[in-house]
């Protein structure tokens, strides 16, 4: 029996623009998914397609037990975390000796297959290695870790990443002269943010500008706007949509002392807040229970 866990993630800057080769920054966050794998000839059915694919692609058979602190389908990377943790647990249980690089690559291939080609390597890379990562096209660079105080607001409005990506593609086709400069501006904000990582006021401003630009390409939602405004009004340095938008989550950067006030105000709008910070470990071996 082998148990491994993997963290969730948020996009701090650059979502949607990364699809067009602009830089984006994502960070692994504390809530984790833990997966226990045990050799077995009679694996139980009704597992997730990601887990099915982890077993199929490695050619082994086993049973799986999952414990998750991450809400699924909310843009916090739960499918990538489940996939990376399952591959790591399979590797240990069946002595396959996968390196972290191999796990990240295999997890990306699995996400791509299950999501029918619609996956960027961001989630699988960030959950496997932890920390803060700058993504530009196919290149990934780890940035120095920062002890950010983040509040995530889950609007509980359901959304679909592929529909939002499609929506931006259509808008870009219809109005390239408007949408392309906005995507360029998102890339410029990301580059500015990278230089301001240890200046929370400036970083917060970058988040606010990034949010406005995401609204401008049509991936906003009234529930997200309300959460962003609430976070700013109650003391956040800045706040923005995180991930695909159209529902799902937003993220606020806060001074330490304002965390519970901001989270409480966000909950009062009907959302579900998560107070969190960076995870620097990525996939991690856990004690078997
Ligand atoms: O909603 P999420 O966390 O899956 O983020 C989607 C981010 C996009 O840039 C919109 C798409 C992508 O694959 O990078």
């Amino acid at each position: 029996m082998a148990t491994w866990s993997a963290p969730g993630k948020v996009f701090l800057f650059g979502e949607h623009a990364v699809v067009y080769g602009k830089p984006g920054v994502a960070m692994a966050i504390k809530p984790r998914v833990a997966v226990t794998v045990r050799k077995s000839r009679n694996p139980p059915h009704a597992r997730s397609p990601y887990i099915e694919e982890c077993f199929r692609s490695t050619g082994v058979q086993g049973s799986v037990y999952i414990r998750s602190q991450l809400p699924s389908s909310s843009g916090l990377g739960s499918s990538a975390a489940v996939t990376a943790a399952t591959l790591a647990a399979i590797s240990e249980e069946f002595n396959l000796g996968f390196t972290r690089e191999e796990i990240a690559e295999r997890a990306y291939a699995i996400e791509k297959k299950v999501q029918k080609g619609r996956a960027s390597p961001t989630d699988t890379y960030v959950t496997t290695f932890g920390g803060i990562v700058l993504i530009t096209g196919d290149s990934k660079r780890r940035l120095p870790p920062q002890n950010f105080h983040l509040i995530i607001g889950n609007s509980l409005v359901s959304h679909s990443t592929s529909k939002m990506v499609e929506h931006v593609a259509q808008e870009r086709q219809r109005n390239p002269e408007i949408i392309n400069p906005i995507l360029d501006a998102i890339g410029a904000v990301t580059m500015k943010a990278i230089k301001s990582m240890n200046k929370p006021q400036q970083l917060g401003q970058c988040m606010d500008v990034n949010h406005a630009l995401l609204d401008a390409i049509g991936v906003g939602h009234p529930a997200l706007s309300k959460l962003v405004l609430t976070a700013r009004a109650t003391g956040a340095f800045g706040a923005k949509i995180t991930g695909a938008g159209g529902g799902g989550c937003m993220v606020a950067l806060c001074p330490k002392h304002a965390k519970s006030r901001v989270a409480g105000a966000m909950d009062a709008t009907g959302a579900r807040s998560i107070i969190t910070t960076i995870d620097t470990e990525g996939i991690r071996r856990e004690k078997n229970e």
Side-chain angles (χ1 to χ4, degrees):
M1 175 157 93
T3 302
W4 282 71
S5 68
K9 73 98 200 12
V10 283
F11 257 98
L12 291 178
F13 295 98
E15 50 275 89
H16 287 290
V18 289
V19 175
Y20 300 94
K22 315 285 174 214
V25 175
M27 185 179 103
I29 52 168
K30 287 271 184 244
R32 281 184 165 255
V33 173
V35 179
T36 301
V37 169
R38 189 200 291 262
K39 274 184 202 159
S40 153
R41 270 167 209 259
N42 307 309
H45 292 292
R47 292 185 304 208
S48 88
Y50 298 96
I51 292 176
E52 295 286 353
E53 196 50 35
C54 288
F55 280 92
R56 203 205 56 77
S57 65
T58 47
V60 296
Q61 283 211 324
S63 63
V64 179
Y65 174 59
I66 303 175
R67 278 143 295 143
S68 181
Q69 302 161 340
L70 272 174
S72 60
S73 309
S74 58
L76 299 181
S78 76
S79 65
V82 165
T83 307
T86 304
L87 285 171
I90 286 177
S91 175
E92 183 189 332
E93 179 71 352
F94 296 91
N95 287 318
L96 302 180
F98 293 160
T99 61
R100 268 179 195 252
E101 279 75 14
E102 272 178 279
I103 288 172
E105 269 168 37
R106 282 175 174 271
Y108 174 45
I110 289 169
E111 280 232 311
K112 216 152 106 175
K113 181 160 184 198
V114 174
Q115 293 167 200
K116 303 192 167 48
R118 287 183 203 266
S120 83
T122 312
D123 287 21
T124 42
Y125 188 86
V126 172
T127 195
T128 304
F129 289 95
I132 305 178
V133 179
L134 169 66
I135 302 110
T136 317
D138 284 337
S139 97
K140 300 157 216 100
R141 181 156 65 87
R142 294 188 76 193
L143 300 176
Q146 303 287 340
N147 195 17
F148 294 140
H149 300 291
L150 298 180
I151 319 290
I152 292 163
N154 184 350
S155 67
L156 306 177
V157 174
S158 73
H159 74 153
S160 146
T161 297
S162 56
K163 273 197 193 129
M164 298 319 292
V165 170
E166 186 64 33
H167 170 79
V168 175
Q170 278 172 4
E171 284 298 303
R172 189 166 164 264
Q173 228 161 27
R174 240 176 261 147
N175 297 305
E177 71 288 5
I178 298 174
I179 302 300
N180 284 330
I182 300 177
L183 296 173
D184 287 340
I186 293 177
V189 173
T190 301
M191 293 317 288
K192 169 115 199 233
I194 290 168
K195 292 187 195 122
S196 316
M197 284 303 216
N198 52 4
K199 299 181 199 102
Q201 306 269 9
Q202 285 180 28
L203 204 60
Q205 274 174 9
C206 288
M207 291 172 82
D208 291 349
V209 176
N210 195 159
H211 178 77
L213 295 168
L214 287 167
D215 255 346
I217 57 171
V219 300
H221 186 280
L224 293 170
S225 302
K226 198 167 169 184
L227 281 170
V228 163
L229 294 177
T230 300
R232 289 178 195 156
T234 50
F237 291 121
K240 63 181 273 293
I241 289 165
T242 186
C249 293
M250 50 67 74
V251 62
L253 177 69
C254 290
K256 190 174 178 190
H257 66 83
K259 283 194 298 191
S260 33
R261 185 175 67 226
V262 173
M266 279 164 40
D267 286 335
T269 71
R272 201 162 291 156
S273 69
I274 304 175
I275 299 179
T276 189
T277 186
I278 189 169
D279 170 277
T280 51
E281 287 180 290
I283 49 170
R284 182 174 79 199
R285 187 169 188 268
E286 302 285 347
K287 278 200 197 112
N288 292 313
E289 276 164 18

